[in-house]
Amino acid sequence: MDRLARSLAETGLPHPLLVDAARAAIAAGDPGSAAARAADAGRRLLAPVINGTGVLLHTNLGRAPLAWTQEAAYSNLEFDLATGERGSRQAAAPALLARACGAESAIVVNNGAAAVLLVLAGLAEGRDVVVSRGELVEIGGGFRIPDVMARSGARLVEVGTTNRTRRADYAAAVADPARAVAVVMKVHQSNYRIVGFTEAPLTAELADLGPPLTADLGSGLLDSRCPWLPSGPPGWLEGEPAARQTLAAGAALVIFSGDKLLGGPQAGIIAGRADLVAACARHPLARALRPGPLVLGALQQVALAYLRGDGAAIPFWRMAGLTVEDLRARTGAYEGLSIVEVMSVPGGGTLPGVEIPSVGVAVAGDHAEALRSRSRPIIARVANTATVVDLRTIDPAADEEVAAALRSLAG
Ligand SMILES: *Cc1c(COP(=O)(O)O)cnc(C)c1O
């Protein structure tokens, strides 16, 4: 077995993993399968892939693309360089994000779900939270907002109906003497739409009910005017709620993810009234949910780009903002291959039904597996018996590599 494991050394995998592959191959009575088993173990490691799917925020591919490198070094994570005393890890990136969306204060936790959990635990533990029946969202992976609320220790009070909820429904629950409503919560219907005979109050209509209005925006659009894009907001963003405008309309807090439309690392942001943010930060769960310096460093880079108005520095916005002409200009690299019209989608459980015209390259037949097996895997779509990659989600620096891979399939 040891000899078999050693024979796989050129895979570069550590010896214990090669021993596992060799052992499993021998146990299966097929020592010859050891190399394939070692290759499988290699494919389970986290590695960069080329996203040819055209899904900008591909949940299975880590949502927003992001590059962040840092040398081995200490940082002033919790050290105030001005006073020489203990500082807060929430003083850098979270404060910059608060500035960028017009909030008094903000804190950052591990993801959007953690942010929902912390707000409810921090503000409504043992008390009631009012939510519309039309907004009890399941995000994906079986993850349901009502379940998170229950875990926070807050009691969920559902009001209205699936398709219609009015201000009066919320007001009646708040006024009910049998209840102790600590938070009124609006949850963005991120990945679905209810159309037809529908009604829901605007943020501004719920701002004066008494309990602080919290809006779980999910997607993390900072400002609906998109001042970081030279040509302003793209048409497909129409109607998407944004942090700045939701706070301006009277929400006391907004919650959003770092890796959806914000274009940053996996994180959850709680922004709004300073006293409420502080109450969340004081809750014991805050420590269990806090991010480390790698995430905060990457998020700071993104927040600074927003404050500079530099959307081109945020890979998600750079890709989202490409015009069909920009993409056509790259097709020279794909000469000899079939250029097709395709539609990109925002993805990540945001903006359902939205499609963004794009440019793709197609090869007849289903080659998804061959492209996935490359040393740098290319993830493609297969549609109508053709394999298609969408240039929008491919870094132009990878065009030659992708073109060569597609040519080898076509040839
Ligand atoms: C995506 C989403 C969440 C969960 O955020 P994660 O960062 O995936 O944990 C919560 N609420 C809404 C409305 C969302 O869209």
Side-chain angles (χ1 to χ4, degrees):
M1 187 163 67
D2 194 55
R3 210 167 342 109
L4 185 54
R6 280 182 203 289
S7 76
L8 304 169
E10 78 224 30
T11 59
L13 291 172
H15 190 63
L17 297 187
L18 299 179
V19 169
D20 292 346
R23 182 179 290 136
I26 290 167
D30 183 12
S33 68
R37 289 168 193 273
D40 272 346
R43 272 196 287 272
R44 278 194 290 275
L45 301 181
L46 209 51
V49 303
I50 294 173
N51 177 9
T53 65
V55 181
L56 283 156
L57 303 169
H58 197 302
T59 304
N60 299 352
L61 305 182
R63 288 194 185 152
L66 200 64
W68 168 249
T69 54
Q70 193 195 292
E71 307 206 345
Y74 296 106
S75 71
N76 56 341
L77 180 68
E78 291 196 342
F79 183 67
D80 186 332
L81 290 169
T83 63
E85 284 168 16
R86 178 164 188 164
S88 164
R89 70 177 63 208
Q90 303 287 353
L96 298 175
L97 286 170
R99 179 71 181 82
C101 70
E104 281 175 19
S105 177
I107 56 169
V108 173
V109 292
N110 259 320
N111 53 27
V116 172
L117 181 67
L118 185 59
V119 165
L120 296 179
L123 305 183
E125 202 160 10
R127 293 192 290 159
D128 296 315
V129 178
V130 182
V131 191
S132 162
R133 290 197 171 86
E135 298 179 352
L136 297 170
V137 184
E138 175 169 317
I139 307 299
F143 175 89
R144 294 175 165 173
I145 283 286
D147 296 339
V148 180
M149 292 187 169
R151 291 288 160 171
S152 72
R155 287 187 302 267
L156 180 60
V157 179
E158 302 175 20
V159 298
T161 61
T162 304
N163 56 327
R164 308 198 96 193
T165 304
R166 300 182 189 80
R167 182 187 190 279
D169 297 318
Y170 291 89
V174 169
D176 183 345
R179 302 194 189 284
V181 175
V183 169
V184 173
M185 182 113 171
K186 257 191 94 60
V187 183
H188 182 39
Q189 296 169 347
S190 306
N191 49 12
Y192 68 106
R193 292 284 180 266
I194 297 179
V195 296
F197 188 56
T198 64
E199 183 175 349
L202 299 171
T203 301
E205 294 175 71
L206 302 178
D208 63 350
L209 286 172
L213 174 63
T214 295
D216 175 12
L217 300 174
S219 60
L221 179 62
L222 270 193
D223 185 328
S224 58
R225 294 165 309 161
C226 297
W228 56 89
L229 299 180
S231 49
W236 47 265
L237 267 183
E238 175 86 45
E240 183 65 12
R244 174 177 286 277
Q245 285 72 24
T246 303
L247 290 167
L253 287 179
V254 290
I255 296 171
F256 51 93
S257 296
D259 52 356
K260 294 183 180 172
L261 297 179
L262 191 72
Q266 181 192 301
I269 295 102
I270 302 167
R273 250 171 59 190
D275 59 324
L276 302 176
V277 171
C280 296
R282 273 195 308 271
H283 191 278
L285 268 179
R287 184 171 179 109
L289 302 176
R290 71 185 189 176
L294 288 176
V295 166
L296 290 168
L299 198 57
Q300 170 175 295
Q301 202 174 41
V302 171
L304 289 170
Y306 276 111
L307 288 170
R308 288 192 195 104
D310 183 8
I314 302 170
F316 165 74
W317 285 111
R318 197 164 62 225
M319 291 176 173
L322 294 170
T323 63
V324 168
E325 293 69 49
D326 296 332
L327 295 165
R328 286 230 166 253
R330 283 164 50 193
T331 54
Y334 294 87
E335 209 184 331
L337 292 160
S338 155
I339 308 300
V340 294
E341 290 178 8
V342 293
M343 291 290 185
S344 312
V345 295
T350 69
L351 297 156
V354 164
E355 294 191 319
I356 310 168
S358 188
V359 174
V361 183
V363 176
D366 180 345
H367 304 287
E369 190 182 346
L371 290 172
R372 245 183 9 244
S373 316
R374 295 173 57 84
S375 60
R376 183 151 71 143
I378 300 171
I379 315 300
R381 287 202 288 226
V382 177
N384 304 326
T385 69
T387 303
V388 182
V389 298
D390 183 331
L391 298 191
R392 181 180 298 284
T393 49
I394 295 173
D395 184 335
D399 278 339
E400 295 294 342
E401 181 182 341
V402 175
L406 296 178
R407 278 194 203 105
S408 73
L409 300 172

